[in-house]
């Protein structure tokens, strides 16, 4: 029996599994990309994933770091990698060291400090790019981008041997192509993310929208989260094919959230929305 009843979403061949409720727990994994955005309380299902991309240090997003690392070791898996804002690395090391002493076994960890603009290689052709968010000091979001080489149109009709010949002569016959697959905003206030081309062009956007009711605008402001009014404004600026909403509050029932979203968004935008917590098997 798994520790969590996670939501399951499938977009084309890509699976997204996770759980996300504001203040309780947030963890969103994409197994085929070998990444897990935030770690929550480290559900069993995400332990085999090699890369955790942590957005900030709040307990509901980061509580499972030591268990994730330690349980991988217990299962005979390689050392887990956790990317995190660089200002969090000190306290994270202290927690992991304290757990090592408490447990009596060293918890192996590969911690990578990141800041906005950094890029980290996940697989030979897959990279995590880091962008800034407005939530807590150093907080970040991540885009996962596939990098390919594409042949320049003027060489597209050449035969294999002709291409080999050109390459021998040192001619650059291809150009780099970036395919943003997913962008995960983590916890954030409204930011005009349409200024970042790779977020605009991501096939999938995973965004928080915590508050829905009119009287909750101040709560959203105080907690540095997005309110539906801001989320709707952001949606107007973005064109992502699929938008997954995370970090919903338990203050508002799911059916009300659905209704409010429908009222706030154009039908064309509403059709792209998937509420993560709506996708849990019952
Ligand atoms: Zn949170
Ligand atoms: Zn937070």
């Amino acid at each position: 029996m798994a520790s969590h009843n996670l939501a399951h979403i499938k977009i084309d061949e890509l699976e997204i599994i996770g759980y996300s409720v504001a203040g309780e727990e947030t963890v969103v994994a994409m197994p085929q990309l070998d990444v897990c955005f935030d770690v929550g309380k480290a559900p069993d299902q995400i332990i085999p994933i090699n890369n955790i991309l942590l957005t900030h240090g709040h307990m509901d997003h980061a509580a499972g770091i030591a268990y994730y690392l330690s349980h991988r070791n217990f299962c005979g898996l390689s050392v887990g990698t956790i990317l995190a804002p660089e200002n969090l690395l000190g306290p994270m090391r202290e927690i992991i060291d304290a757990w090592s002493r408490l447990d009596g076994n060293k918890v192996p960890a590969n911690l990578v400090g990141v800041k906005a603009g950094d890029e980290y290689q996940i697989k030979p052709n897959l990279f995590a790019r880091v962008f800034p968010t407005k939530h807590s000091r150093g907080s970040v979001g991540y885009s996962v981008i596939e990098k390919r080489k594409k042949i320049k149109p003027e060489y597209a009709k050449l035969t294999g041997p002709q291409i080999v010949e050109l390459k021998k002569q040192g001619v650059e016959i291809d150009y780099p192509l970036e395919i943003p697959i997913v962008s995960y905003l983590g916890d954030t206030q409204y930011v005009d993310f349409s200024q970042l081309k790779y977020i605009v062009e991501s096939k999938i956007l995973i965004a928080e929208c915590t508050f829905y009711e009119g009287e909750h605008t101040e709560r959203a402001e105080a907690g540095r989260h997005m309110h539906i009014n801001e989320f709707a404004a952001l949606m107007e600026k973005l064109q992502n094919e699929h938008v997954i909403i995370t970090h919903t509050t338990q203050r508002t029932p799911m059916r009300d959230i659905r209704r409010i979203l429908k009222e706030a968004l154009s039908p064309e935008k509403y059709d792209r929305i998937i509420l993560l917590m709506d996708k849990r098997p019952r």
Side-chain angles (χ1 to χ4, degrees):
M1 187 67 182
S3 63
H4 286 57
N5 178 21
L6 299 182
H8 278 76
I9 296 168
K10 205 166 178 195
I11 294 172
D12 300 331
E13 286 312 302
L14 279 176
E15 277 171 308
I16 298 126
I17 58 172
Y19 185 98
S20 180
V21 173
E24 189 189 317
E25 179 170 15
T26 287
V27 51
V28 181
M30 296 187 70
Q32 287 109 328
L33 305 182
D34 203 15
V35 299
C36 183
F37 302 109
D38 292 324
V39 72
K41 297 169 189 169
D44 294 344
Q45 297 95 322
I46 65 112
I47 301 295
I49 294 174
N50 288 308
N51 304 284
I52 303 290
L53 312 185
L54 198 68
T55 60
H56 66 297
H58 285 161
M59 186 75 93
D60 51 327
H61 296 251
I65 51 173
Y67 183 79
Y68 162 77
L69 294 165
S70 156
H71 204 60
R72 283 181 66 89
N73 192 36
F74 176 79
C75 296
L77 297 167
S78 61
V79 178
T81 294
I82 304 181
L83 271 64
E86 55 190 3
N87 57 311
L88 301 186
L89 249 54
M92 285 170 68
R93 283 206 185 94
E94 284 172 32
I95 286 171
I96 292 160
D97 287 348
W99 265 115
S100 299
R101 293 199 302 277
L102 190 60
D103 187 81
N105 291 292
K106 177 141 185 59
V107 179
N110 179 30
L111 304 183
V112 181
V114 297
K115 58 182 186 313
D118 285 355
E119 226 171 63
Y120 179 83
Q121 186 169 28
I122 296 162
K123 296 184 188 189
N125 62 342
L126 205 63
F127 295 79
R129 190 172 291 165
V130 184
F131 57 85
T133 60
K134 248 169 116 177
H135 183 60
S136 57
R137 195 168 70 84
S139 65
V140 297
Y142 297 91
S143 293
V144 177
I145 296 168
E146 187 187 338
K147 292 189 183 183
R148 282 193 211 155
K149 278 191 170 169
K150 200 157 176 353
I151 192 152
K152 291 178 182 168
E154 59 266 39
Y155 302 122
K157 290 207 172 84
L158 297 188
T159 62
Q162 287 173 312
I163 287 173
V164 172
E165 185 51 39
L166 281 176
K167 278 190 175 167
K168 259 194 220 156
Q169 293 169 18
V171 177
E172 287 272 351
I173 62 153
D174 42 30
Y175 64 96
L177 187 68
E178 289 192 354
I179 304 160
I181 300 171
V182 58
S183 290
Y184 176 81
L185 306 185
D187 283 6
T188 185
Q189 272 187 317
Y190 175 84
V191 175
D192 182 7
F193 289 107
S194 71
Q195 292 174 6
L196 295 172
K197 192 164 167 273
Y198 54 90
I199 296 184
V200 177
E201 291 175 356
S202 288
K203 185 186 183 74
I204 304 168
L205 177 76
I206 307 176
E208 76 131 287
C209 185
T210 309
F211 294 105
Y212 292 84
E213 289 161 57
E215 67 266 30
H216 286 168
T217 46
E218 277 163 33
R219 269 186 213 278
E221 182 74 28
R224 309 197 106 192
H225 289 293
M226 258 194 278
H227 183 271
I228 179 69
N229 296 342
E230 296 166 309
F231 177 79
L234 181 63
M235 282 301 98
E236 280 312 306
K237 297 188 166 202
L238 297 175
Q239 288 299 332
N240 312 88
E241 268 177 67
H242 308 274
V243 178
I244 299 172
I245 295 183
T246 59
H247 215 263
T248 42
T249 175
Q250 280 186 332
R251 291 173 197 278
T252 310
M254 218 24 122
R255 61 172 184 282
D256 292 349
I257 292 179
R258 248 179 270 123
R259 175 182 52 77
I260 295 166
L261 275 167
K262 201 167 184 174
E263 286 166 5
L265 301 174
S266 66
E268 183 238 348
K269 292 282 150 86
Y270 180 75
D271 282 346
R272 304 172 187 207
I273 299 285
I274 303 166
L275 277 163
L276 180 77
M277 293 307 277
D278 242 3
K279 299 292 176 187
R280 289 203 301 160
R282 286 171 224 282

